[in-house]
Amino acid sequence: MEIRQLRAFSAIAEMGTFTAGAQRVHITQAAISMQIRQLEIELGTPIFVRAPRRVLLTEAGEALLERTRRILREHDAAVAEIAELAGAERGRLRVGSASAMVSADPLPEILKELREKHPRAEVSIFSGTSQTLVRQILAGDLDMAFVSLPVEARGIQTEVLSRDELVAIASPRHKFAKQRVVSVFTLAGEKLILGERGGNTRRLIDGLFEEAGVQPVVAMELSRLAAIKRMVEADMGVGIIPQHSTHDEVEQGRLVSWWIEGAKINWELGLAKLAGDYESPICQTFMQLCRKYFSTEDITTPRKRTKPSKNKLKQRAQAS
């Protein structure tokens, strides 16, 4: 049983197909199929059930996956510790980001300072939804990731870096542009441009409408905040995103933002990693820099608003 076989097995189990698994570990589909065949021969039992469009784990495969993750974590930790002996300026860091705000600012500043402290390190940045990035951490494909909180996956520990409140945004040409507050019921009647499913931000938004008992009209689902803001600027619909990410566009008059009446939707950005995992020097430096550039003590507390009843919200929505 070889490490490369276990990485191939983990990649297929995570991605659901041999093709996607091969892409993740950067080998051909024929090569990954051969590795799995060799592994199954050695184990003496199938570890996958080949379905028409995806593969499923057998009972033996499920048992092997749990052990495989532990083996790969220990392997990577051993490699990192040995690399540490060669000099703390070296190392490898794989970071995921589910937030466009982080990728734009302050991640470049963090990486610049990280490079000064670890000039020979190998640093890679990946993007995806919070849910996807957490799975990649568990699979050993990422060391840590910026995700929206909370994270409920077992084996993951998180640290809050920033807090914000979700607000609605619209073009300054919108008929309600001069308003400062809109109701959930008014938003439900708009063409909404939201982040894709699979992240905590979208789950918070969906929960808002579910609690109000209304079905929103979702016109677009986009993976990036920048794309959402551009579509809203082009009068394609109304978005719901963290308040701080709208600051420049609102200041420049390209967007207007509204508080969502009766709803205080707190959004938290956190850094996720494996609980109790070995922390290499470069990982420790990265976490220290994150704490430096994200100070939860300086976060502005959203203003308090009284939560009116659903009937009152409906009356205001009808009046507008």
Side-chain angles (χ1 to χ4, degrees), residues 37-248:
R37 278 199 299 271
Q38 292 171 345
L39 187 57
E40 289 180 326
I41 290 171
E42 182 177 351
L43 294 171
T45 185
I47 52 179
F48 287 117
V49 176
R50 277 72 167 176
R53 295 186 178 180
R54 61 180 288 112
V55 293
L56 304 172
L57 288 170
T58 63
E59 185 177 357
E62 291 177 352
L64 178 62
L65 181 60
E66 183 177 350
R67 291 184 176 274
T68 292
R69 286 172 172 167
R70 290 204 298 268
I71 291 170
L72 292 178
R73 285 200 295 268
E74 288 298 319
H75 172 271
D76 292 344
V79 171
E81 287 188 57
I82 298 303
E84 183 179 349
L85 297 176
E89 76 277 4
R90 301 184 62 178
R92 182 188 69 179
L93 180 65
R94 301 161 300 170
V95 179
S97 176
S99 173
M101 290 189 303
V102 175
S103 300
D105 180 33
L107 187 55
E109 287 78 8
I110 292 175
L111 294 178
K112 179 181 178 181
E113 193 165 339
L114 184 72
R115 182 66 67 186
E116 293 171 355
K117 297 177 182 296
H118 300 268
R120 299 170 63 190
E122 178 186 341
V123 180
S124 304
I125 307 297
F126 304 88
S127 63
T129 65
S130 295
Q131 191 177 55
T132 298
L133 296 177
V134 167
R135 286 201 303 264
Q136 289 178 310
I137 293 174
L138 289 170
D141 294 328
L142 290 177
D143 298 305
M144 55 189 68
F146 296 104
V147 297
S148 56
L149 301 179
V151 172
E152 299 176 353
R154 293 177 58 186
I156 294 290
Q157 73 179 48
T158 59
E159 179 176 334
V160 178
L161 297 176
S162 178
R163 294 186 180 92
D164 202 349
E165 185 171 6
L166 296 181
V167 296
I169 58 170
S171 160
R173 295 171 293 280
H174 193 281
K175 60 183 177 180
F176 299 143
K178 295 186 181 299
Q179 295 184 194
R180 299 194 62 183
V181 179
V182 294
S183 72
V184 177
F185 302 96
T186 298
L187 289 175
E190 297 286 335
K191 292 181 179 179
L192 295 178
I193 302 172
L194 305 178
E196 61 185 347
R197 297 180 185 275
N200 283 330
T201 304
R202 178 61 185 274
R203 187 155 58 246
L204 288 171
I205 295 170
D206 289 343
L208 170 68
F209 290 105
E210 184 178 346
E211 183 180 353
V214 292
Q215 184 67 39
V217 179
V218 181
M220 298 184 195
E221 295 181 334
L222 303 174
S223 61
R224 289 294 172 206
L225 282 177
I228 293 174
K229 291 189 287 188
R230 283 198 299 269
M231 288 296 180
V232 173
E233 283 185 49
D235 297 300
M236 300 301 293
V238 170
I240 301 177
I241 62 176
Q243 179 197 6
H244 290 170
S245 67
T246 69
H247 179 269
D248 290 344

